[in-house]
Amino acid sequence: MIALTTDPIDVASALKYLHTDQAGAIDLFLGIVRNSTQSRPVDRLEYEAYDRMAIGEMRKIADEANRRWPLLRYTIIHRTGTLLIGEMAVLIGVATAHRADAFDACRYIIDTIKQTVPIWKKEIFTDGEMWVNAHP
Amino acid sequence: MKDTASVLLFGITRDITGQSAVSVPLPEGACVADLLSQLYRQYPDLSGIRSILVAVNGEYAESDQVVHSKDEIALIPPVSGG
């Protein structure tokens, strides 16, 4: 299950989807909006996506994770729009028979999302704003 | 024959140009690198971005890929999801 959404991410329903009798391990990674960047206070974040391509790139990452590890189920949900401190920006979930595969696959998915999926994050500070990673 | 291409913009590239899409001249046989050069000429501030990739029809494109005016072309500034 791969999705972009402007609504709050529902952890309980993601977990329910991941649950299967063959799964000995379920890993969830939750990316949360924190209140500062390099000690500069953050007021909120704005996420923007190139929706069509973002879904395609997330699909590729999931397919690659599927090749590398024996995944029983997975889910990738990324939120867009304005997010306040403490809100969840992304949920990655994987279910596998054994825990090592679940940890490894989950980490691979979130790390690769940050490298290849066309989603952009603007940090709104109390005294300005900046697109993350955009400047040298 | 000179044609034009519409290029979708996101993130900082949208802020710099003030537009969500820009139109650029696209001579026949032009590749991704030609398109980027033209955009840098039109909007010099784009060169202050760490790196810009180009997507054609929803896929990352190499700099020598030929683009056509009917393609869906997008600028991809450094991503930062998660």
Side-chain angles (χ1 to χ4, degrees):
Chain A
M1 187 168 73
I2 292 175
L4 283 173
T5 177
T6 53
D7 297 327
I9 296 171
D10 184 348
V11 182
S13 66
L15 194 52
K16 192 174 173 192
Y17 169 76
L18 290 164
H19 224 123
T20 158
D21 287 349
Q22 302 102 298
I26 292 178
D27 259 47
L28 281 179
F29 171 81
L30 312 178
I32 311 292
V33 177
R34 65 167 183 271
N35 66 358
S36 69
T37 291
Q38 288 157 357
S39 71
R40 198 174 174 193
V42 168
D43 180 64
R44 64 186 186 278
L45 294 186
E46 284 171 10
Y47 282 90
E48 180 183 330
Y50 178 12
D51 291 47
R52 161 197 178 186
M53 186 179 172
I55 293 287
E57 291 296 317
M58 288 194 283
R59 168 76 49 208
K60 285 183 197 167
I61 293 168
D63 288 348
E64 179 60 24
N66 244 328
R67 271 192 291 276
R68 294 192 191 189
W69 296 280
L71 306 186
L72 296 165
R73 289 193 184 165
Y74 62 83
T75 183
I76 303 173
I77 304 169
H78 206 300
R79 198 166 161 199
T80 57
T82 300
L83 275 76
L84 304 177
I85 308 303
E87 288 195 276
M88 192 185 310
V90 62
L91 177 151
I92 315 292
V94 297
T96 59
H98 304 286
R99 72 181 182 282
D101 289 334
F103 279 122
D104 291 348
C106 198
R107 180 167 195 140
Y108 168 81
I109 292 170
I110 182 61
D111 286 352
T112 315
I113 281 176
K114 286 177 164 288
Q115 293 162 12
T116 65
V117 178
I119 297 176
W120 299 274
K121 177 162 63 180
K122 185 190 253 184
E123 289 170 329
I124 318 292
F125 303 103
T126 43
D127 59 351
E129 57 183 48
M130 194 176 74
W131 287 101
V132 178
N133 285 348
H135 296 285
Chain B
M1 188 190 83
K2 274 222 162 179
D3 222 333
T4 60
S6 174
V7 180
L8 301 176
L9 303 175
F10 298 94
I12 192 170
T13 63
R14 181 184 295 190
D15 282 4
I16 285 173
T17 62
Q19 293 169 272
S20 57
V22 293
S23 195
V24 293
L26 190 76
E28 205 170 316
C31 66
V32 163
D34 302 326
L35 185 94
L36 271 180
S37 309
Q38 181 59 39
L39 276 163
Y40 286 131
R41 273 196 294 278
Q42 279 178 237
Y43 303 98
D45 287 349
L46 290 179
S47 54
I49 301 173
R50 191 153 63 87
S51 78
I52 296 185
L53 299 175
V54 172
V56 177
N57 299 323
E59 300 283 342
Y60 286 108
E62 300 289 338
S63 58
D64 60 356
Q65 182 172 331
V66 173
V67 286
H68 307 280
S69 55
K70 63 181 187 310
D71 290 331
E72 182 175 297
I73 303 165
L75 285 192
I76 310 290
V79 302
S80 51

